């Protein structure tokens, strides 16, 4: 309503993804080398994927959220959006440290970039739940399967894992993030309801129907999901998924007038994201190719809590798979 719809630099008739949409578009278009996003349900990783740039969601508490609006205190992590994994590593190494003004990250282990520049991936075990992995468009799946083989060729081994109760985790995440957003936005919901976008009204109205019992049960599921991941990460170093099941959707004329509220697509675009937000594990998305229409396709790597270093190590090798980086149709060379 106030800022209109950001355009995807690879095709201005397509969306950028949300909600750090302007951040990803600005980096992809060359307007800045790095932007900071908040990721409560994929809001760094989805726009980074749609816009063909690198997005890192740190472990919950790793990077201080002090200074950002506390929309959802239990699901949101801060992270950089950059054009390269090396840039993301630099920004991460600067931001990742305890902050007395942000208590959730006070007892974190020291951030390192150990073995990030190792020449190969020997010794690493990459976990893949193929049922989950294949729940995406054929074009996305084709590129993602090829990149898994590329990582194997560099010495990594692929281990089949099972990600249990993914639907329960998805529902639990929705209940947690919307309940917390509804709590924080209570004054706005009461005083500025008619100034809000239609999709914002719908989300907050839905959140109004959740009960304290719903929220408690959702957090019990969070504990279960974290326990499952502890077991999985005792056998593998990371989990691989496509970043988003599809490429950036088209913008229609009606979207420019009223906004877009396609809930089925929103749920689908978050499919591989919500587990990381519910449990707090870190995730990195790296562009690995393009669709026949020229829109970016990305892979996601998730690791155990505080192990961002292994994400960046694998991310560098994912960049090697992408034999070319196509310049967006909208690009500004600010150093020229």
């Amino acid at each position: 309503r106030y800022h209109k719809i950001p355009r995807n630099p690879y095709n201005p008739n397509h969306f950028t993804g949300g909600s750090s949409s302007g951040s990803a578009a600005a980096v992809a278009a060359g307007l800045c080398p790095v932007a900071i996003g908040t990721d409560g349900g994929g809001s760094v990783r989805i726009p980074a994927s749609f816009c063909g740039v690198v997005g890192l969601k740190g472990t919950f508490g790793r990077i201080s959220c002090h200074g950002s609006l506390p929309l959802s205190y239990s699901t949101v992590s801060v992270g950089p959006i950059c054009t390269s994994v090396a840039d993301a590593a630099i920004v991460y190494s600067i931001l990742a440290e305890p902050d007395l003004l942000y208590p959730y990250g006070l007892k974190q282990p020291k951030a390192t970039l150990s073995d990030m520049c190792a020449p190969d991936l020997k010794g690493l075990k990459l976990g893949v739940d193929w049922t989950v992995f294949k729940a995406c468009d054929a074009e996305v799946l084709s590129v993602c399967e090829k990149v898994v083989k590329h990582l194997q060729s560099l010495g990594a081994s692929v281990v089949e894992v099972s990600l249990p109760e993914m639907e329960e985790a998805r529902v639990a995440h929705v209940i947690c993030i919307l309940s917390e957003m509804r709590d924080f936005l209570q004054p706005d919901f009461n005083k500025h309801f008619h100034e809000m976008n239609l999709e914002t009204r719908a989300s907050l109205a839905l959140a109004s129907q959740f009960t304290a019992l719903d929220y408690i049960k959702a957090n019990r599921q969070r504990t279960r999901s974290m326990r499952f991941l502890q077991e999985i990460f005792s056998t593998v170093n990371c989990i691989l998924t496509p970043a988003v099941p599809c490429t950036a959707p088209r913008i229609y004329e009606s979207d420019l007038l009223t906004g877009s509220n396609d809930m089925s697509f929103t749920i689908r675009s978050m499919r591989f994201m919500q587990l990381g937000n519910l449990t707090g594990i870190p995730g990195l998305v790296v562009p690995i190719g393009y669709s026949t229409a020229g829109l970016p396709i990305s892979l996601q790597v998730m690791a155990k809590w505080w192990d961002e270093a292994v994400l960046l190590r694998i991310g560098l090798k994912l960049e090697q798979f992408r034999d070319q980086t196509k310049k967006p149709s909208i690009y500004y060379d600010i150093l020229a």
Side-chain angles (χ1 to χ4, degrees), residues 85-97:
V85 173
D87 283 357
I90 292 170
V91 178
Y92 165 76
S93 65
I94 294 170
L95 296 178
E97 62 179 6

Side-chain angles (χ1 to χ4, degrees), residues 117-137:
C117 296
D120 54 43
L121 298 178
K122 289 179 180 177
L124 291 186
K125 295 180 179 179
L126 316 179
V128 179
D129 182 327
W130 287 109
T131 301
V132 173
F133 193 98
K134 292 180 179 180
C136 59
D137 289 353

Side-chain angles (χ1 to χ4, degrees), residues 136-285:
C136 59
D137 289 353
E139 197 169 25
V140 172
L141 178 60
S142 175
V143 179
C144 288
E145 286 179 328
K146 289 176 184 175
V147 83
V148 172
K149 292 179 180 178
H150 166 71
L151 297 178
Q152 284 181 287
S153 73
L154 294 171
S157 58
V158 173
V159 178
E160 191 160 352
V161 297
S162 173
L163 294 172
E165 300 183 8
M166 287 291 283
E167 178 62 14
E168 289 84 350
R170 183 189 72 78
V171 173
H173 169 263
V174 170
I175 292 171
C176 287
I177 189 171
L178 286 185
S179 295
E180 292 165 8
M181 289 171 65
R182 179 67 178 81
D183 171 56
F184 175 73
L185 292 172
Q186 174 76 7
D188 301 83
F189 189 75
N190 290 337
K191 296 178 182 178
H192 305 291
F193 180 81
H194 294 290
E195 299 170 51
M196 293 177 173
N197 287 347
L198 295 175
E199 64 270 24
T200 307
R201 293 188 211 172
S203 296
L204 294 178
L206 172 63
S208 300
Q209 303 304 308
F210 295 142
T211 66
L213 185 58
D214 293 328
Y215 188 71
I216 290 169
K217 286 185 175 180
N219 277 285
R220 287 176 177 160
Q221 179 62 46
R222 188 201 303 266
T223 302
R224 285 178 62 84
S225 295
M226 291 175 74
R227 176 63 67 183
F228 294 144
L229 287 175
Q230 281 181 324
E231 295 173 1
I232 291 171
F233 286 127
S234 69
T235 61
V236 298
N237 299 97
C238 66
I239 297 169
L240 304 180
T241 70
V244 188
C246 56
T247 55
R250 185 173 181 80
I251 298 172
Y252 293 96
E253 287 297 320
S254 61
D255 299 330
L256 302 175
L257 297 174
T258 61
S260 175
N261 189 29
D262 186 341
M263 286 303 293
S264 62
F265 178 80
T266 299
I267 292 169
R268 187 168 184 246
S269 68
M270 295 167 64
R271 175 176 294 157
F272 303 119
M273 302 287 154
Q274 292 169 285
L275 183 64
N277 295 109
L278 182 68
T279 63
I281 60 173
L284 177 75
V285 297

Side-chain angles (χ1 to χ4, degrees), residues 25-164:
V27 171
L31 296 176
C32 55
V34 59
I36 303 300
T38 54
D39 193 315
S43 294
V44 162
R45 293 164 291 160
I46 294 172
S49 302
F50 281 164
C51 294
V53 290
V54 174
L56 172 65
K57 181 197 91 70
T59 303
F60 178 77
R62 175 63 100 179
I63 297 173
S64 174
C65 286
H66 177 71
S68 63
L69 287 176
L71 276 177
S72 172
Y73 55 84
S74 78
T75 68
V76 170
S77 297
V78 169
I81 297 173
C82 308
T83 53
S84 71
V85 173
D87 283 357
I90 292 170
V91 178
Y92 165 76
S93 65
I94 294 170
L95 296 178
E97 62 179 6
D99 178 0
L100 292 176
L101 297 174
Y102 187 67
Y104 296 121
L106 288 179
K107 297 195 175 182
Q108 62 178 276
K110 185 173 178 56
T112 71
L113 298 177
S114 59
D115 296 326
M116 176 180 164
C117 296
D120 54 43
L121 298 178
K122 289 179 180 177
L124 291 186
K125 295 180 179 179
L126 316 179
V128 179
D129 182 327
W130 287 109
T131 301
V132 173
F133 193 98
K134 292 180 179 180
C136 59
D137 289 353
E139 197 169 25
V140 172
L141 178 60
S142 175
V143 179
C144 288
E145 286 179 328
K146 289 176 184 175
V147 83
V148 172
K149 292 179 180 178
H150 166 71
L151 297 178
Q152 284 181 287
S153 73
L154 294 171
S157 58
V158 173
V159 178
E160 191 160 352
V161 297
S162 173
L163 294 172

Side-chain angles (χ1 to χ4, degrees), residues 13-31:
N13 294 319
H14 287 252
F15 282 104
T16 57
S19 57
S20 301
S21 46
S23 300
V27 171
L31 296 176

